[in-house]
Amino acid sequence: MSEPRGDLADEYFDAAIALLRRVRDEESAGITAAGRAIADAVAAGNRIFAFGAGHSSLAAQDVVYRAGGLAVVNLLAVPGTVGIDVMPATLGSALERVDGLAGAVLDTSPAKPGDVLVVISLSGRNALPVEMAQNARALGLTVIGVTSVAYTKETKSRHVSGTFLKDHCDIVLDSKIAVGDAELVRDDVPAPFAPASTVVTSALMQAVVATAVAELAARGITPPLLRSGNVDGGHDWNGRIFEEYGSRIFFRH
């Protein structure tokens, strides 16, 4: 058996870095708009929600209850779709194609007009993210979509409307991920491998939060940031934030 080529690791890092640079350079206007929308909601006393299904949920979870993150960002969870802990794991993928599920989730959630919902879906083609964005806008939420626009050009929507996530968002951030989400190929490996969507999408989300923090500070508003619980004083700091912003935080209830 041949040893793995070490340069494949370099190729992966190069591919991920190239994608990050593209997103930085080409999505700067959208990142600014998304950050301002979140800052507007925070300043107005509203809340932020993030949703993603399957592996797209990882980037949503990364901005919830996060050291260095905004305390008022909440995960809008759809049972069975948040992670691979559901058994069988394929059920999560199946639930993404169920019509009407997003409406039921939103109707029973604490989301209200004026809030912001970030919907993360790499393909943006399944019923769940499409209807999540569609219904959220109808309820008066500002919707930010994080998706790969390439899928709208190279695949077909699975929603009855024939539309994609990007068609129902106030702001769209394009992750630039190629269809299939695999950056490497080898002649002796039968399928492409090494996805980069989590790296890029998580970076996009953190860039948006950073922009929102800077926007709030520029307005003279102290951003409701959380500190690490592993630094001295971190728990006391977070306790004060939870007390002050408790009505806008749902991951502690």
Side-chain angles (χ1 to χ4, degrees):
M1 181 180 296
S2 62
E3 291 295 321
R5 297 207 315 265
D7 61 349
L8 278 182
D10 291 342
E11 286 183 35
Y12 177 78
F13 281 117
D14 288 344
I17 290 167
L19 283 165
L20 290 169
R21 284 176 172 157
R22 278 193 68 196
V23 168
R24 179 196 62 189
D25 296 342
E26 299 174 20
E27 297 300 303
S28 60
I31 291 169
T32 297
R36 286 176 177 168
I38 289 175
D40 288 343
V42 174
N46 294 315
R47 297 79 54 83
I48 317 301
F49 294 90
F51 164 78
H55 285 91
S56 290
S57 72
L58 296 175
Q61 294 178 60
D62 192 45
V63 292
V64 176
Y65 186 42
R66 188 71 164 85
L70 291 169
V72 295
V73 179
N74 303 276
L75 185 68
L76 185 64
V78 178
T81 70
V82 174
I84 58 170
D85 56 335
V86 63
M87 295 294 290
T90 50
L91 175 62
S93 298
L95 288 173
E96 288 188 64
R97 298 192 284 272
V98 174
D99 293 329
L101 181 56
V105 169
L106 280 168
D107 288 345
T108 55
S109 78
K112 63 180 182 61
D115 291 343
V116 171
L117 172 62
V118 183
V119 180
I120 305 168
S121 173
L122 177 60
S123 73
R125 68 193 295 232
N126 290 313
L128 185 55
V130 170
E131 292 182 0
M132 190 68 76
Q134 196 175 39
N135 292 349
R137 287 183 85 188
L139 290 172
L141 279 73
T142 297
V143 178
I144 300 168
V146 183
T147 188
S148 170
V149 174
Y151 277 81
T152 69
K153 302 172 182 176
E154 300 179 39
T155 68
K156 293 182 179 179
S157 170
R158 287 176 172 153
H159 189 248
V160 64
S161 68
T163 60
F164 288 79
L165 167 62
K166 76 173 187 65
D167 300 315
H168 304 283
C169 298
D170 298 288
I171 301 165
V172 176
L173 300 177
D174 183 4
S175 65
K176 316 294 181 182
I177 300 295
V179 173
D181 191 17
E183 297 301 320
L184 302 182
V185 294
R186 270 184 64 138
D187 293 341
D188 56 352
V189 177
F193 57 102
S197 61
T198 303
V199 173
V200 176
T201 306
S202 291
L204 261 172
M205 292 295 292
Q206 293 297 346
V208 168
V209 171
T211 301
V213 168
E215 180 70 20
L216 287 165
R219 299 180 191 183
I221 300 170
T222 301
L225 292 169
L226 295 172
R227 288 180 179 266
S228 171
N230 294 313
V231 299
D232 292 343
H235 287 297
D236 291 339
W237 172 282
N238 291 340
R240 291 191 294 271
I241 293 291
F242 291 148
E243 183 175 355
E244 182 175 355
Y245 293 92
S247 64
R248 299 153 69 180
I249 296 170
F250 301 98
F251 49 80
R252 299 183 72 240
H253 298 174

